[in-house]
Amino acid sequence: YPLACVVAGLAKHEAANPPADGGATFSEIWTNVLTCASPFTVPLTPSVPDSAGEAELMSALGFREKAGEDESFDAFLKRTEALVNIAASVLCASSAAARDCGRWLDAFLAGVGGRAPIYACPVLASFLAVARGALGGAREEVAGRVREVLGRADQGVVGKPSHVRLEKLIKDWLGPEGGKMPEGVCEAFYGRDVVAGAGGGGGG
């Protein structure tokens, strides 16, 4: 989360002080880096036809290849979850956290089709692990939408662990302890603008 605060602070500072040469902004570069690392961070949900083969599917989802070998599904999930967690942290280090996290969620859910794809639960769990604090004002509504996805998600050997994790997250979020600050965040900078500039960062 501290890294996310730095990123959010730099983006905020640059928005008020755009590059004089009209070149790419830090926000544009950061977004491109995230998109290349995992499309789900933006989020972009891949549209893959039912006729797609395994190679086409893996490429669309963002699987990597190293030394001629495809990335394992477990490694792909862990990497994707970590990147989505970072993206959510950056969104939350801002006074516009509720709006921006809501837009991210709307965009992701809009891309989830009839039968929720295998990535739906792990991506949502990673995002809400951080963003649930920012979305607390719409907790019941968000929980209902996520549970609708849970009802359509894979519960086989591969999908079950992420399904259980997301289900527990939603249950705890709706419970008496659900209003607690997400674990690992900097409360002073959660849902507040991080000021970057001469003389150091600002606090809250």
Side-chain angles (χ1 to χ4, degrees), residues 14-186:
E14 191 179 55
N17 303 276
D21 61 2
T25 65
F26 173 78
S27 294
E28 290 170 339
I29 295 171
W30 172 255
T31 300
N32 285 336
V33 168
L34 280 182
T35 305
C36 290
S38 173
F40 300 113
T41 56
V42 178
L44 294 173
T45 49
S47 178
V48 185
D50 294 336
S51 59
E54 183 178 353
E56 186 179 352
L57 175 62
M58 292 177 72
S59 175
L61 292 178
F63 276 77
R64 288 180 171 176
E65 184 180 309
K66 187 176 182 180
E69 292 188 6
D70 290 325
E71 183 176 32
S72 69
F73 185 73
D74 185 55
F76 164 76
L77 272 189
K78 287 180 179 178
R79 180 171 60 83
T80 299
E81 289 172 357
L83 289 165
V84 169
N85 197 271
I86 290 172
S89 296
V90 173
L91 292 179
C92 288
S94 163
S95 59
R99 181 199 68 192
D100 293 343
C101 287
R103 287 177 176 174
W104 188 101
L105 187 66
D106 287 344
F108 181 79
L109 292 180
V112 174
R115 181 180 180 186
I118 195 70
Y119 58 75
C121 288
V123 168
L124 282 171
S126 298
F127 180 74
L128 290 174
V130 177
R132 67 181 185 274
L135 296 169
R139 181 166 38 175
E140 295 286 346
E141 178 191 348
V142 172
R145 296 173 70 189
V146 172
R147 279 180 165 162
E148 194 273 330
V149 174
L150 280 166
R152 299 185 283 114
D154 175 64
Q155 295 191 54
V157 175
V158 176
K160 188 67 174 179
S162 296
H163 190 283
V164 170
R165 182 157 61 97
L166 180 57
E167 198 168 34
K168 183 180 185 304
L169 186 152
I170 293 299
K171 181 180 179 181
D172 292 345
W173 193 26
L174 293 174
E177 302 290 314
K180 282 187 175 181
M181 191 66 61
E183 186 177 348
V185 304
C186 300

